[in-house]
Amino acid sequence: MAHAPPRLVQRSMTSTGLSEPGAHVPKIFTLQNEYLKNDVESIQQSITDHVEYTLACTKYNFNQFAAFQATAASCRDRMIEYWNDTQQYYTETDPKRVYYLSLEFLMGRSLNNAVYNMGVEEPYKEALMDLSYRLEDLYEEEKDAALGNGGLGRLAACFMDSAATLNLPCWGYGLRYKYGMFEQVIHDGWQTELPDYWLTDGNPWEIDRKDVFYPVKFYGKVIAHKEGNQVKYSWENAEIVEAEAYDIPIPGYGTNNTNNIRLWSSRPHKEFDLEMFNRGDYFSAVESKQKSENITSVLYPNDSTIQGKELRLKQQYFFCAATLSDIIRRFKKIHGSNFEEFPNKVIIQLNDTHPTISIVELMRKLIDEEGFDWQTSWSITQKSFAYTNHTILPEALEHWPIHFLESLLPRHMQLIYEINDHFLKGVSQKYPGDVARLRDMSIIAESHPKQIRMANLAIIGSCRVNGVAALHTNILKNQVFKNFFEYFPEKFVNITNGVTPRRWIQQSNPSLSTLLTKWLETPKWATELNRLADLRKFADNSAFIAEWKEMKIINKMRLSEYIAANCNIEVDPMALFDVHIKRIHEYKRQLLNILGVIHRYLKIKKTKEADRKSFVPRVFIFGGKAAAAYHMAKTIIKLINSVAAVINADTEIDGLIKVVYIANYNVSLAEIIIPASDINQQISTTGTEASGTGNMKFALNGSLILGTLDGANVELAEEMGEENMFIFGFRHPHEVDVHRTAMSEHRGPKMDDRLVEVLDKIKSGTFGPAEYFADVISYFNHDFYAIIPDFPSYLTAQENVDKLYVKEDEWMKKSIISSASCAKFSSDRSISEYASQIWNATAQPLPKSLIRWGARKHAN
């Protein structure tokens, strides 16, 4: 198995203002001369110290969770040493810094990642074993950090890992959600949302920076006043909330560099009103505390109400305002008010539209607080931001009613009008009289009520705009943002997403990690994923194929045990594991999948018992959350579970089909499910998925893709060949548009008889009361996501899966080729392209020897 090389054991004592040779060094810093040792005895002593002094545990109240806490604390101690040195080095060398703004960071568990990346897993295993604990068991004690929901947040986490591994001076910024999105519980087949109390026992990885906080304003009014010949604006009578910083160190793999994610937690500016309390008005005395803390309580508050929409906007601005204050403070610490240098030292990457208001916030700060004129401020701003688009779905391109911003952020609304006016004047000069173009490109949508189009603002205010897969970027250029591309052709670039092989092979699939290191004769594949291409020469090697099969069975047995223990369903690890795990949404077409399952079930039931052996046993595995207010998605979850209840209870089919819905899908579950998958379904309607990263994780682990030519599936097919995938459905987005037009004009295609039969069974109550699934039936009146035309080819693709699976060696060969074809899909490659094509940022590895205070420290 690949491991990171050990880190430095001697430290270079640095401190701002004290870095010159011969400078006086306070004793408190000279005592920090060496890093904590990583031998077994030192690790044991560190863990034991935390048991006694941090947890205050004795033998009477010490358990396995406490052992995890002490182990995590000892690991964090070691990370903080490198984290401090890394940040100090960046301060002294003053490179261009990258700030990655994301409302989500789906980190998963951190202990496994930390010991791997720091190269200390083996000594920790040995140290804990000698203390009668298994490190692997302690991994299971950690609760997933509830800081994200889907691919957007997991991508951000992969990117942070890669940026640290590549020694880039990159910080992530996000929010510290108290209750995450929600904990999903399945009750009577329906999704139920409960608070995710992930912080109940604390987060051992975070550092509470009580000394780092910023005021954030809401509401109030804007006052104009003259200073000489200039009009100045002040934002007055505003409500104030404070943003408090929490830091999470991010260790790079095989390097001493340790970067940071800074998360903001909301707290009241005035925590307690004693005067109100003494008058007996106890609720009002703490009302401001509750209102302010609501801002960072939940990821993506339900926006089906006015209050929920306003809370979402508050959340986004709170995040951006605190982040910009922090970035500017750090810049001014070195450069003072020389903001012309700002774009040379700062690049702010917007991970989708959620942080877009930060563009306006920087303008406000430069004009109102730093005293720059409008044109200079706009020039600095446009050079300092870059925008990643993650969707082409209209509902996901955020729009905010103007009256919301006028009330909540009055100064920002003024600036948006000014930015829009300035921009449209330029467009008018280039395209005189083209009113339709102006209407499309305006930040203000002339709807009722008028709305702010955040994607338009992000494009206008950024120096670069990137899509996340080749197909996606082409759709952005030629359809969604066609007018912007014609106006700003130099802004648009493609950077295909990637995933980190450290998390998605080394940590989640140790059997595969060991196999790769053995046959490739090096652990370097973990950072040089192009080495996987050498696996192709083993695709016909019987010994290699045997080990590949064994790896697959080990992972399938692990998942089978999990399903038995947590879902109370017994599944056969020798069956074909057919997996569909992702956020539940109509465009991701879990509905198509479960309709196909029903067809398969009906087909088996109609087949004579003696002939049923021709069917390949299948375990259909679903997982994912639906947004709390998304009724159709929650109905699809109910249908999946209702079908599962009928099929799993049918003893006549003798285990030929099992259907499993794994509740509360998260990163830790993905690490169990993905390595066990035989095929994975990536079946979004062509032209709707921006990229997808689940497809990459599955392919890395040798799972074959059953999918459409959508998102990154297109590039995966280019790398591995369509013959090693199961492709079906429309091949071009325009075909979907033609279908939608036909459906709207009531001239859609004839529904396949097999689909008619499936829907009739649903309507007849075979899978529960038909009224539960009325929305599923009515969906086919418009079929916006093209299930009707894709259903026949989907069934054909599934039949081809069955035919190949019985040819074991052929299946394994394709599985090997799948993994061997994934060199392109490393997040290391993605981040390298961001650094060179967008950020103009360079690696800043901590030197192995540094001169500080006249003493030279050497790494061992």
Side-chain angles (χ1 to χ4, degrees):
M1 189 179 302
H3 298 285
R7 294 183 160 200
L8 298 175
V9 296
Q10 285 189 295
R11 302 182 72 180
S12 166
M13 294 295 96
T14 64
S15 177
T16 299
L18 295 173
S19 59
E20 295 301 319
H24 172 68
V25 185
K27 186 174 182 179
I28 192 170
F29 295 113
T30 61
L31 292 174
Q32 298 175 8
N33 189 46
E34 292 188 355
Y35 291 107
L36 291 170
K37 294 180 173 63
N38 291 325
D39 60 279
V40 169
E41 187 175 341
S42 297
I43 290 171
Q44 287 177 334
Q45 187 61 56
S46 176
I47 293 171
T48 303
D49 286 347
H50 280 292
V51 169
E52 183 163 15
Y53 303 124
T54 304
L55 304 177
C57 282
T58 69
K59 62 182 179 181
Y60 300 108
N61 63 350
F62 187 69
N63 55 24
Q64 189 149 287
F65 181 70
F68 156 71
Q69 289 179 303
T71 302
S74 76
C75 188
R76 192 191 78 155
D77 289 346
R78 288 157 170 78
M79 274 200 294
I80 287 176
E81 293 179 328
Y82 295 101
W83 180 82
N84 275 330
D85 286 357
T86 302
Q87 308 322 312
Q88 192 60 54
Y89 182 64
Y90 292 164
T91 298
E92 296 197 352
T93 56
D94 189 28
K96 185 174 187 179
R97 291 177 183 251
V98 177
Y99 297 109
Y100 194 86
L101 275 59
S102 179
L103 266 189
E104 296 186 42
F105 286 97
L106 199 56
M107 306 297 293
R109 294 167 174 165
S110 293
L111 178 58
N112 193 353
N113 187 70
V115 295
Y116 260 106
N117 279 13
M118 294 199 301
V120 294
E121 192 199 30
E122 290 307 317
Y124 262 86
K125 279 184 177 179
E126 189 176 341
L128 285 162
M129 188 65 72
D130 193 42
L131 296 174
S132 301
Y133 289 94
R134 295 177 68 250
L135 180 58
E136 293 82 0
D137 294 336
L138 300 191
Y139 292 155
E140 299 302 315
E141 293 293 326
E142 184 172 4
K143 191 169 177 61
D144 276 38
L147 298 171
N149 174 42
L152 184 83
R154 186 52 234 170
L155 178 75
C158 283
F159 279 3
M160 290 300 99
D161 176 88
S162 286
T165 299
L166 295 172
N167 302 313
L168 289 168
C170 176
W171 272 33
Y173 277 98
L175 291 178
R176 181 182 182 265
Y177 304 103
K178 189 173 182 180
Y179 302 112
M181 187 174 178
F182 57 79
E183 181 175 346
Q184 181 193 56
V185 175
I186 304 299
H187 180 70
D188 193 28
W190 294 98
Q191 171 182 289
T192 303
E193 301 90 26
L194 299 177
D196 188 344
Y197 297 104
W198 74 284
L199 286 171
T200 299
D201 297 303
N203 178 4
W205 307 104
E206 68 183 12
I207 303 155
D208 185 356
R209 294 295 200 183
K210 291 190 182 298
D211 59 323
V212 180
F213 60 92
Y214 301 97
V216 178
K217 293 181 179 181
F218 298 104
Y219 307 109
K221 59 183 179 179
V222 180
I223 304 296
H225 56 279
K226 291 202 75 173
E227 289 185 9
N229 295 326
Q230 292 186 319
V231 178
K232 298 288 186 180
Y233 297 89
S234 58
W235 187 0
E236 298 180 4
N237 300 323
E239 290 184 13
I240 299 177
V241 175
E242 287 185 352
E244 180 180 336
Y246 287 78
D247 289 341
I248 299 178
I250 304 297
Y253 175 86
T255 176
N256 297 305
N257 286 51
T258 301
N259 285 345
N260 190 54
I261 294 178
R262 176 158 285 180
L263 305 175
W264 301 108
S265 182
S266 54
R267 71 184 193 190
H269 183 62
K270 183 179 180 182
E271 184 155 334
F272 183 73
D273 192 320
L274 183 59
E275 184 179 343
M276 283 187 177
F277 186 85
N278 287 337
R279 291 202 306 262
D281 192 351
Y282 304 129
F283 176 78
S284 296
V286 295
E287 183 180 12
S288 67
K289 175 179 170 65
Q290 186 60 54
K291 285 175 64 177
S292 63
E293 290 179 351
N294 283 343
I295 294 173
T296 53
S297 287
V298 177
L299 167 64
Y300 300 141
N302 186 336
D303 61 355
S304 61
T305 65
I306 296 297
Q307 295 87 344
K309 284 185 172 68
E310 184 177 86
L311 183 56
R312 275 208 187 191
L313 182 56
K314 262 189 171 181
Q315 195 176 71
Q316 291 184 9
Y317 176 66
F318 171 84
F319 161 44
C320 295
T323 299
L324 263 294
S325 293
D326 202 45
I327 291 170
I328 289 173
R329 174 196 60 79
R330 189 172 300 111
F331 173 81
K332 291 180 72 174
K333 183 178 177 182
I334 298 174
H335 298 281
S337 295
N338 182 21
F339 275 88
E340 286 82 357
E341 189 68 8
F342 193 79
N344 298 323
K345 293 298 180 181
V346 169
I347 183 69
I348 301 168
Q349 186 71 44
L350 306 177
N351 192 30
D352 219 354
T353 54
H354 310 124
T356 300
I357 197 67
S358 58
I359 292 172
V360 191
E361 176 66 2
L362 181 57
M363 284 289 287
R364 185 190 71 81
K365 284 183 167 292
L366 291 173
I367 295 170
D368 296 352
E369 296 181 7
E370 301 298 333
F372 287 91
D373 63 79
W374 200 97
Q375 192 58 52
T376 301
S377 300
W378 186 233
S379 176
I380 293 169
T381 297
Q382 280 190 302
K383 295 173 186 174
S384 301
F385 286 92
Y387 162 51
T388 300
N389 174 278
H390 284 280
T391 183
I392 62 171
L393 298 179
E395 67 268 23
L397 295 172
E398 287 187 304
H399 295 66
W400 292 110
I402 281 180
H403 66 268
F404 269 35
L405 271 85
E406 289 176 332
S407 170
L408 194 67
L409 304 172
R411 178 62 175 136
H412 295 74
M413 194 61 246
Q414 289 180 345
L415 289 167
I416 288 171
Y417 279 129
E418 292 173 10
I419 292 168
N420 197 47
D421 181 64
H422 176 270
F423 170 68
L424 291 182
K425 284 178 180 176
V427 177
S428 295
Q429 289 176 4
K430 188 170 183 178
Y431 304 101
D434 194 339
V435 177
R437 186 183 296 268
L438 289 174
R439 188 178 293 117
D440 176 65
M441 298 178 75
S442 173
I443 298 171
I444 313 296
E446 298 296 328
S447 53
H448 301 285
K450 291 183 178 181
Q451 306 223 27
I452 307 299
R453 295 190 279 211
M454 301 306 278
N456 289 19
L457 175 58
I459 294 169
I460 294 164
S462 297
C463 64
R464 289 288 185 275
V465 178
N466 74 282
V468 291
L471 174 62
H472 171 235
T473 301
N474 285 335
I475 292 173
L476 294 181
K477 290 178 179 180
N478 300 316
Q479 295 179 37
V480 182
F481 301 130
K482 182 175 184 291
N483 287 329
F484 283 103
F485 176 60
E486 290 176 358
Y487 190 72
F488 295 125
E490 75 286 351
K491 279 195 180 187
F492 285 77
V493 296
N494 176 66
I495 298 182
T496 299
N497 284 342
V499 300
T500 168
R502 274 82 64 185
R503 169 77 70 167
W504 295 108
I505 295 182
Q506 273 191 329
Q507 296 162 42
S508 65
N509 196 345
S511 298
L512 177 56
S513 180
T514 300
L515 188 154
L516 293 178
T517 299
K518 173 185 173 182
W519 284 83
L520 296 177
E521 299 180 340
T522 178
K524 291 183 178 180
W525 57 265
T527 52
E528 300 171 13
L529 208 59
N530 58 301
R531 291 177 181 269
L532 292 190
D534 288 343
L535 293 179
R536 288 177 177 269
K537 64 187 179 186
F538 304 127
D540 294 309
N541 184 304
S542 58
F544 183 75
I545 290 173
E547 290 187 31
W548 195 268
K549 289 179 187 176
E550 183 182 3
M551 174 271 295
K552 271 293 176 187
I553 289 297
I554 289 171
N555 288 311
K556 292 174 74 172
M557 289 178 67
R558 179 176 62 161
L559 177 56
S560 300
E561 290 167 2
Y562 178 89
I563 291 171
N566 293 276
C567 306
N568 199 29
I569 299 172
E570 297 292 334
V571 300
D572 181 3
M574 302 307 294
L576 189 156
F577 281 17
D578 182 333
V579 175
H580 198 171
I581 48 172
K582 52 183 73 242
R583 178 167 54 94
I584 308 299
H585 196 289
E586 288 167 274
Y587 87 86
K588 294 179 182 288
R589 299 204 296 189
Q590 287 91 350
L591 179 57
L592 172 59
N593 186 346
I594 196 61
L595 295 176
V597 173
I598 294 172
H599 164 71
R600 188 181 185 89
Y601 173 64
L602 297 177
K603 187 175 180 181
I604 291 173
K605 291 287 284 184
K606 289 187 289 186
T607 301
K608 293 180 181 179
E609 186 173 353
D611 297 329
R612 288 178 183 170
K613 291 182 180 179
S614 61
F615 288 94
V616 173
R618 287 266 191 122
V619 179
F620 292 92
I621 299 167
F622 294 85
K625 295 179 180 180
Y630 193 173
H631 176 73
M632 181 60 171
K634 294 171 84 169
T635 301
I636 292 169
I637 292 175
K638 171 60 177 174
L639 178 61
I640 293 169
N641 282 295
S642 297
V643 171
V646 171
I647 290 177
N648 295 343
D650 191 339
T651 56
E652 285 187 15
I653 61 173
D654 194 27
L656 287 175
I657 307 181
K658 288 289 180 73
V659 181
V660 179
Y661 197 99
I662 299 180
N664 206 39
Y665 173 64
N666 56 24
V667 176
S668 294
L669 283 173
E671 290 173 1
I672 298 173
I673 297 169
I674 290 172
S677 165
D678 290 308
I679 64 167
N680 64 98
Q681 300 210 27
Q682 310 294 333
I683 59 176
S684 54
T685 308
T686 299
T688 59
E689 184 73 81
S691 169
T693 53
N695 45 10
M696 303 170 189
K697 296 162 195 167
F698 280 105
L700 262 178
N701 283 272
S703 173
L704 303 188
I705 293 173
L706 169 65
T708 51
L709 286 176
D710 193 31
N713 281 0
V714 176
E715 289 161 85
L716 281 157
E718 290 170 355
E719 296 297 313
M720 68 180 65
E722 285 190 35
E723 68 276 11
N724 294 302
M725 303 167 72
F726 300 96
I727 300 296
F728 73 95
F730 284 148
R731 299 181 69 87
H732 302 287
H734 73 84
E735 295 176 90
V736 178
D737 295 335
V738 170
H739 170 71
R740 287 170 177 169
T741 300
M743 291 298 295
S744 69
E745 296 173 354
H746 306 289
R747 54 180 181 81
K750 180 180 181 297
M751 187 178 289
D752 187 276
D753 290 341
R754 294 165 294 183
L755 181 55
V756 172
E757 180 186 24
V758 167
L759 296 179
D760 284 344
K761 287 295 182 181
I762 294 173
K763 287 187 280 188
S764 70
T766 300
F767 304 104
E771 58 268 25
Y772 287 171
F773 310 117
D775 287 346
V776 170
I777 301 303
S778 65
Y779 160 84
F780 288 93
N781 294 332
H782 59 82
D783 191 31
F784 191 76
Y785 295 105
I787 290 177
I788 292 173
D790 279 359
F791 191 74
S793 61
Y794 175 73
L795 296 185
T796 300
Q798 286 284 27
E799 290 168 2
N800 292 335
V801 170
D802 284 343
K803 292 174 184 175
L804 183 66
Y805 192 71
V806 296
K807 302 172 183 177
E808 194 173 20
D809 283 355
E810 284 188 39
W811 181 278
M812 288 300 161
K813 181 175 181 178
K814 291 183 183 295
S815 173
I816 293 164
I817 290 173
S818 172
S819 186
S821 305
C822 285
K824 177 179 178 178
F825 304 104
S826 168
S827 53
D828 294 350
R829 186 269 314 153
S830 300
I831 287 296
S832 294
E833 291 181 3
Y834 274 98
S836 62
Q837 297 182 34
I838 295 178
W839 301 337
N840 192 28
T842 56
Q844 302 292 319
L846 276 177
K848 292 186 177 180
S849 62
L850 293 170
I851 298 175
R852 294 295 183 267
W853 307 307
R856 183 178 295 274
K857 299 297 180 185
H858 295 279
N860 286 349

